[in-house]
Each structure stands twice: as structure tokens, then as C-alpha cells.
């Protein structure tokens, strides 16, 4: 894709490209230096095709080796110098040669001038030929690669480059604009957009081509917010850049495409899912941003203490299924990760099959669904079961085969955590029956079903207290306790960008399945719901009212995102 540039400053000598030796050699070096055992290297090599990761990455993730040991071995393998970035100060004149978008995107940092026309550049992975190639062009001088530990490199980049980047408005002259000459601007633009989106806590970025410019919107707390538009002249280059990053067909402009890639921001890996859709005014780009390093623990999920007790009992069973349901973007996967994090005490074997891997959990064997090689949920699940782990996370059940294997596993000594794309807990039973699971097995195999939604959290700086009217109390099933009730309404201030809300809070509905009896076999969804409520289930809306009374969100927000089956009866 990248053509040789015509300008003189691009004509630089290529650095010697290190030979990528077989992975086994890296393993041998690590074993010889005592930084990993042969057993660990063998296991990591076996996991490689499943995890799509480098040997070193797996060894570090499993805590079998350290980033420094991997870097030293890589340096020896490639005949390059190892640079200890915790000891060496980098030369700002050298780092200044590389734009921060590039440094962050490629995890490369210029360390020092070896002579006037040669800069030593530290990278974590010297065998990545793409980086080497692009580095040469980006620097404009010769470079000599060195290897640094991935963690030290990330924090050096964080210290030396800052993430305050304005969208470039200095587009080159219109006449000499061709996609190629815009490539660098687009690289920075895309990295900068992702950086800004992550800083703003956005979950996705939308680039919508308009006749005169490209509209940019971030989704924050589930609501789209306008950003400064991008120059129309960067439109094609930005789409092309995303395609390159996501390994899509750059020439295809009429069919929708989707893919994914990873960028590093402030040393943290950010997974980006890209979707490209042709529209009348050009290609629309939607980037979904997933920060991997987010640390989760159950208390943060904000369940009521009674509900958390029931949930904890359900996930601490040695077997059975725990099903989390809700629409896309309701945080159902997050809940299961939080559960996994609790269970991940090093005593149990945990394996996952996901699409995609949204959070990295140390010590957990995580596998990603891969359509191109026919690695589906059901096939991945079968493979996992051969290793007989105690806990299995199945990212989503959406087909009959996966449903049946998952329930079978739950009944044969495994704890299975999974999600179903249904509106509420009661509908999950009907869905499992539709997916061909024997209704007789449901009561015995499902520990509990959690349904959830994300409500916007009221802004604490500007919320206004009020007393709900009789009518409002009736409409939300608020039971008057005699004393006056206080609720809050969203106002709007500078802190919350005048929306009245800031951040989000999860609302839950937790349905224990044991004890619901015959209704599970042939009852309608409404009948299952009634039985669960009669057995004491608090509905999503009840939980919303609880959070409204706690001053965390508003009745309006709860009404917006939850329905009430009782009102339909
Ligand atoms: Zn506010």
C-alpha cells in the first residue's frame, strides 16, 4: 500500500531487517537462561494457535516469564542490543523525530543518536517487519533497532509523549491530495481519535461522511455526542488507514467490511472493532473501543447486598450454568468477567471462548471465535471441554449446538458462565427451549439468570431533589412508607456537559431457577415471570426504583430503559 515517496527526505537506507527465527529458538534461549521451563515453553507453543498471540506474550500472561527476560532473549535471538529503559534516559531530540501517534501505535521509541544520521530505536518486537519498514519512513534518518521490555517501553512512551492531540486542521493543498500523501495525517488522525475517545470514556467512534465534511461522534454513557468534524479531504485516507489496521481489503469500497486491531494508549492495549459501511457520501467508519486493562470487581457492579449474596452463591457452585442476559451494550459480559475475576483464585482451571476477548484475565486460557478457520463457539467449547476445566465462560449462546453442549457441561461438573441475547430473565427460559434444550434439564442445570441494563448515572454536581407526586409513585410501584420520599431529577452543569448525567450504573434482575417448578417446562414467558415475581424476584424496574431512591439515577431514566410486564397484563 505504501508507495515510495518522491521527496528526498524519504530516501533513506533500510536498516538490516532481523531474521525472524522459529519460535522454538526463542523458547530454547529462555530455557537456557533459566527464564522459563521447557514444560512452560511447550505449553505456550501449544496454546499459540488458539490464542493468536506471540510466544513471549503468552509466557508473560501466564506469569511464567517476565517482559524483561523475553526482551533479552529476543535481543539475543536477533543479534540486537538490549536496552534497559528503566536505567537509560532517552534523548528528547531523538524521540522528537517520531510522531506520538506512530510511537503509540507501534510501541517504538527512539532512544539516542548513534551518529548524526542514525538513531537507535527501541521496540518490543523486532521481528515485526511492518514496524521496521514504516519506522524507516517515519523517522527520515537511518535507524538501528534495539529491544526493550514491553512494560518499560510502554511507560517510557507514556512519559515522553503526551496524549493531548487536536484533530489536524492543516490539510495539504487540495490539488496535490492523493490518498497516499494523506496516509501519515490519517494515521495520526485515527490514533488521535481513539486516544481522545478513550480519554472521554467513549465506547465507540462514528465517522459519518457528509457532503462538506466528516461528522465525528463519540458514544459516551450510551448516548452519541458530536465532536469537531474532520476535513473532507481526510475522509478516504482515514477509511483506508482503518482498513490497513484491521487487515481489510483496501480496494473494496462498495461492500461493508469489518475487522479488528489493537492500539496501545498510554501503555494499555485497546481492542478496536472496525466496521466500514459504504454510504452516499463515502465510507462510514464505526470503531468500537474496548479497553483491555479495565479491572473489575463485583462490588463495583452495584448489586444490592441481598442480590449479590444470591449471585455469589450461584457462581460459587462447583457446577451449573449462570446466564447473563440483556441487549447489546447492557454490560452483560462485564458482569460475567467480574464473576470470573472472583473465581480466578489460581485454584481452579478457567477457560473461555469469546467473540472477541474483551478483558484479559491473568492465568485464564482465553480463546477467540475465528470464523475464517471455522473456530465457532460450539467447536471452541468442545475443544475446551477436552481440557476439563472447572469453570468455562462461553461468550454467547446463539445456536442449538452451543446451547446443548453448554447445558450438558453444566450438568457434568462444570460451572458454565454465558450470555443470552434476550430482554429479561424470564425470556431466557423460552430461548433455551427454542434452542432445543430439553425443558426437563433446565431446572437442574441453571443456577440463576441475571438480566441487566445500564442506566445513566445522575450528575452529583447538579442533581435536584424533589418529592414525587402520588401519581408518579403509583406509576412506578413506589410503596409509600409513610415518610416522605426523595427523588432526584437531572439538571445539567459544566461538569456533565449539560446532560445532567455522568457515567452509568447497572440495573439487575436476578432469577433463581430452582423452585420455579412446572412452569419451566411449558409455561409462557409471562407465566414464568409471574412465578418468579411470586417467588420474590425483584424486576429490572424495581432495581431502577431502588437506585432512584438511592439518588443514583432518575425515574425518567429508569422508565426510558426498562419495561414493565405487569403493565401489559
Ligand atoms: Zn451536572
Amino acid at each position: 500500500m505504501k508507495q515510495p515517496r518522491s521527496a528526498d527526505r524519504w530516501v533513506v537506507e533500510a536498516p538490516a531487517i532481523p531474521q525472524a527465527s522459529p519460535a522454538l529458538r526463542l523458547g530454547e534461549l529462555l530455557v537456557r537462561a533459566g527464564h522459563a521451563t521447557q514444560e512452560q515453553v511447550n505449553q505456550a507453543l501449544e496454546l499459540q494457535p488458539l490464542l493468536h498471540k506471540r510466544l513471549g506474550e503468552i509466557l508473560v500472561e501466564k506469569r511464567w516469564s517476565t517482559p524483561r527476560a523475553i526482551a533479552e532473549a529476543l535481543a539475543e535471538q536477533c543479534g540486537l542490543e538490549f536496552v534497559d529503559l528503566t536505567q537509560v534516559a532517552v534523548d528528547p531530540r531523538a524521540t522528537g523525530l517520531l510522531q506520538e501517534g506512530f510511537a503509540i501505535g507501534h510501541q517504538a521509541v527512539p532512544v539516542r543518536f548513534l551518529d548524526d544520521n542514525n538513531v537507535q530505536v527501541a521496540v518490543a518486537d523486532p521481528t515485526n517487519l511492518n514496524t521496521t519498514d514504516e519506522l524507516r519512513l517515519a523517522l527520515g534518518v537511518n535507524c538501528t533497532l534495539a529491544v526493550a521490555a514491553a512494560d518499560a517501553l510502554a511507560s517510557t512512551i507514556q512519559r515522553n509523549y503526551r496524549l493531548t492531540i487536536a484533530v489536524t486542521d492543516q490539510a495539504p493543498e487540495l490539488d496535490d491530495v492523493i490518498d497516499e500523501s494523506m496516509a501519515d495525517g490519517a494515521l495520526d488522525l485515527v490514533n488521535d481519535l481513539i486516544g481522545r475517545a478513550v480519554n472521554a470514556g467513549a465506547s465507540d467512534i462514528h465517522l459519518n461522511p457528509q457532503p462538506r465534511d466528516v461528522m465525528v461522534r463519540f458514544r459516551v454513557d450510551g448516548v452519541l455526542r458530536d465532536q469537531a468534524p474532520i476535513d473532507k479531504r481526510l475522509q478516504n485516507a482515514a477509511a483506508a488507514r482503518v482498513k490497513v489496521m484491521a487487515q481489510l481489503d483496501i480496494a473494496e469500497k462498495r461492500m461493508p467490511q469489518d475487522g479488528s486491531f489493537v492500539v496501545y494508549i498510554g501503555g494499555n492495549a485497546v481492542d478496536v472493532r472496525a466496521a466500514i459501511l459504504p454510504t452516499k457520501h463515502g465510507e462510514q467508519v464505526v470503531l468500537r473501543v474496548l479497553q483491555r486493562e479495565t479491572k473489575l470487581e463485583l462490588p463495583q457492579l452495584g448489586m444490592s447486598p441481598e442480590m449479590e449474596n444470591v449471585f455469589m452463591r450461584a457462581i460459587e457452585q462447583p457446577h451449573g450454568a449462570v446466564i447473563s442476559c440483556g441487549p447489546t451494550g447492557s454490560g452483560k459480559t462485564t458482569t460475567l468477567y467480574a464473576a470470573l475475576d472472583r473465581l480466578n483464585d489460581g485454584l481452579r482451571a478457567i477457560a473461555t471462548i469469546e467473540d472477541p476477548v474483551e478483558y484479559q484475565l491473568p492465568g485464564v486460557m482465553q480463546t477467540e471465535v475465528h470464523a475464517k478457520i471455522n473456530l465457532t463457539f460450539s467447536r471452541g467449547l468442545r475443544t475446551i471441554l477436552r481440557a476439563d476445566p472447572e469453570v468455562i465462560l462461553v461468550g454467547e449462546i446463539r445456536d442449538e449446538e452451543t446451547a446443548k453442549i453448554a447445558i450438558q457441561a453444566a450438568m457434568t461438573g462444570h460451572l458454565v458462565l454465558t450470555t443470552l441475547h434476550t430482554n429479561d430473565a424470564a425470556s431466557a427460559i423460552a430461548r433455551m427451549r427454542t434452542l432445543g434444550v430439553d425443558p426437563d434439564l433446565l431446572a437442574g442445570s441453571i443456577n440463576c439468570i441475571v438480566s441487566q441494563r445500564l442506566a445513566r448515572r445522575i450528575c452529583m454536581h447538579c442533581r435536584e431533589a424533589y418529592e414525587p407526586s402520588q401519581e408518579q409513585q403509583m406509576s412506578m410501584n413506589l410503596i409509600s412508607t409513610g415518610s416522605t420520599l426523595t427523588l432526584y431529577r437531572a439538571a445539567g452543569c459544566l461538569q456533565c456537559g449539560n446532560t445532567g448525567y455522568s457515567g452509568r450504573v447497572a440495573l439487575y434482575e436476578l432469577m433463581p431457577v430452582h423452585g420455579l417448578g412446572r412452569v419451566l417446562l411449558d409455561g409462557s414467558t409471562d407465566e414464568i415471570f409471574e412465578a418468579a415475581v411470586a417467588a420474590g424476584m425483584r424486576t429490572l424496574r424495581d432495581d431502577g426504583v431502588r437506585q432512584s431512591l438511592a439518588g443514583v439515577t432518575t425515574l425518567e431514566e429508569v422508565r426510558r430503559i426498562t419495561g414493565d410486564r405487569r403493565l401489559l397484563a
Side-chain angles (χ1 to χ4, degrees), residues 160-281:
N160 288 277
Y161 292 98
R162 214 170 283 129
L163 264 176
T164 48
I165 314 151
V167 173
T168 176
D169 53 6
Q170 296 167 324
E173 296 301 309
L174 188 58
D175 289 342
D176 57 38
V177 171
I178 50 161
D179 280 5
E180 268 322 312
S181 71
M182 301 291 279
D184 270 1
L187 166 66
D188 286 335
L189 175 72
V190 172
N191 283 335
D192 299 351
L193 276 175
I194 296 169
R196 286 200 297 131
V198 167
N199 283 345
S203 58
D204 38 64
I205 304 166
H206 294 243
L207 303 182
N208 293 339
Q210 304 295 311
R212 290 172 189 285
D213 56 20
V214 181
M215 183 198 270
V216 179
R217 291 189 295 177
F218 289 173
R219 189 183 295 281
V220 181
D221 298 339
V223 179
L224 285 171
R225 288 191 191 166
D226 280 338
Q227 308 292 315
I230 302 173
D231 194 299
K232 184 80 178 165
R233 292 167 293 185
L234 278 166
Q235 175 180 310
N236 289 345
R241 182 65 217 168
V242 169
K243 286 182 196 169
V244 171
M245 290 166 108
Q247 298 183 321
L248 301 175
D249 179 358
I250 194 163
E252 178 59 75
K253 290 182 174 152
R254 286 167 305 172
M255 295 292 285
Q257 296 190 74
D258 64 275
S260 61
F261 55 91
V262 179
V263 294
Y264 291 86
I265 291 181
N268 288 334
V270 176
D271 284 303
V272 182
R273 293 225 131 185
I276 308 217
L277 297 155
T279 70
K280 191 175 159 208
H281 298 298

Side-chain angles (χ1 to χ4, degrees), residues 458-463 491-502:
I458 196 166
C459 171
M460 287 299 186
H461 299 281
C462 61
R463 64 175 191 177
C493 67
L494 274 179
Q495 308 269 359
C496 58
N498 252 331
T499 59
Y501 295 95
S502 172

Side-chain angles (χ1 to χ4, degrees), residues 304-528:
S304 69
E306 312 86 71
M307 198 182 268
E308 193 176 323
N309 265 334
V310 179
F311 186 64
M312 286 309 296
R313 280 207 301 275
I315 66 168
E316 279 165 358
Q317 297 298 314
H319 52 80
V322 173
I323 301 174
S324 168
C325 43
T328 304
S330 60
K332 53 185 187 286
T333 313
T334 308
T335 301
L336 294 187
Y337 273 110
L340 270 194
D341 199 42
R342 282 284 180 95
L343 295 169
N344 191 15
D345 54 6
L347 302 175
R348 298 168 246 235
I350 304 178
T352 74
I353 172 84
E354 306 169 65
D355 180 24
V357 170
E358 292 189 27
Y359 300 91
Q360 307 257 322
L361 296 165
V364 173
M365 191 184 121
Q366 294 177 278
T367 311
E368 215 165 76
V369 164
H370 210 296
K372 276 183 192 151
I373 56 166
N374 197 27
L375 179 54
T376 57
F377 274 117
S378 53
R379 199 165 156 208
L381 184 51
R382 279 186 203 287
T383 311
I384 286 172
L385 279 167
R386 266 179 237 131
D388 203 27
E390 277 98 338
V391 183
I392 303 167
L393 179 130
V394 183
E396 191 186 346
I397 291 183
R398 51 191 180 208
D399 63 277
E400 185 170 335
E401 201 183 353
T402 310
K404 286 180 170 168
I405 311 171
I407 290 297
Q408 196 60 40
M411 295 182 63
T412 52
H414 306 273
L415 179 74
V416 178
L417 307 177
T418 189
T419 71
L420 271 180
H421 197 95
T422 66
N423 278 329
D424 57 17
S427 315
I429 295 292
R431 172 62 59 81
M432 291 304 271
R433 292 196 304 227
T434 316
L435 284 171
V437 175
D438 182 351
D440 283 326
L441 303 181
L442 292 174
S445 60
I446 301 176
N447 297 354
C448 82
I449 304 177
V450 187
S451 168
Q452 71 179 83
R453 293 289 186 285
L454 292 178
R456 284 183 295 165
R457 196 181 271 276
I458 196 166
C459 171
M460 287 299 186
H461 299 281
C462 61
R463 64 175 191 177
E464 291 172 357
Y466 72 98
E467 225 178 274
S469 66
Q470 279 296 327
E471 209 178 321
Q472 279 173 313
Q473 297 195 23
M474 298 262 288
S475 75
M476 297 299 278
N477 296 311
L478 277 174
I479 299 138
S480 182
T481 53
S483 56
T484 47
L485 297 174
T486 306
L487 289 170
Y488 295 87
R489 66 168 69 90
C493 67
L494 274 179
Q495 308 269 359
C496 58
N498 252 331
T499 59
Y501 295 95
S502 172
R504 288 198 285 181
V505 59
L507 308 181
Y508 301 98
E509 174 178 285
L510 197 147
M511 187 171 96
V513 175
H514 296 269
L516 287 185
R518 289 207 52 83
V519 75
L520 293 173
L521 300 183
D522 50 11
S524 70
T525 299
D526 279 334
E527 285 164 352
I528 295 167

